[in-house]
Each structure stands twice: as structure tokens, then as C-alpha cells.
Amino acid sequence: AIYIASRGKKIKDSLKAQRKVVDNKVAEFQRYFSSHPEIKVQKSIPVMLNILGQKRRQIDTLQLNFDKAFFNY
């Protein structure tokens, strides 16, 4: 929220660090389920991970509307 509100001028390094943590957890999740094919992953999970990538690109290019991202739920 701060990154978008500041138009990319604040907390860029913090955002990168947060993404790295998430990326590591996503990779861990994918490795686990790859090694346990007997466990079925809900179809919505890969869709949500794809949306994560889309949202990151929108945030990076400041194309994500702050109000829509945080107040339209």
C-alpha cells in the first residue's frame, strides 16, 4: 500500500524482500506437492498464484489503482 501510495518512491527494498520470502514459500509449496502427487491441489491455487504475478507487474508499473486494490472488497 505504501509503495503504491508513494508512486514507487518508498519501501522498494522492503517490497523486494517481502516478495523474496513469498517466492521461497511458493517454491516450497510447489516442491512439496510435486513430490506428493497423491495430494490434489485445489484448482484455485494455481489461478491465485498467476494473479499474484499479474498484480506484482501492475504494482511495479504503478498500473494498480490504490482504491480498487485496497477498498473494493
Side-chain angles (χ1 to χ4, degrees):
I2 295 170
Y3 181 81
I4 295 171
S6 73
R7 305 298 295 158
K9 295 178 181 149
K10 294 185 180 177
I11 71 161
K12 190 172 190 173
D13 292 337
S14 176
L15 181 61
K16 282 184 179 182
Q18 291 172 33
R19 286 181 177 182
K20 187 172 185 172
V21 170
V22 171
D23 291 345
N24 288 337
K25 292 298 180 181
V26 168
E28 183 180 322
F29 169 86
Q30 290 172 330
R31 280 191 304 274
Y32 179 84
F33 283 100
S34 291
S35 65
H36 294 87
E38 69 279 5
I39 301 173
K40 301 296 180 200
V41 177
Q42 290 186 8
K43 291 180 182 179
S44 61
I45 293 173
V47 171
M48 286 187 273
L49 292 175
N50 187 42
I51 291 170
L52 174 65
Q54 292 171 4
K55 295 299 177 188
R56 283 181 173 182
R57 283 186 292 282
Q58 289 175 329
I59 290 166
D60 291 345
T61 59
L62 301 172
Q63 299 298 311
L64 186 65
N65 179 280
F66 182 85
D67 290 335
K68 284 184 181 179
F70 294 99
F71 300 110
N72 282 0
Y73 289 99

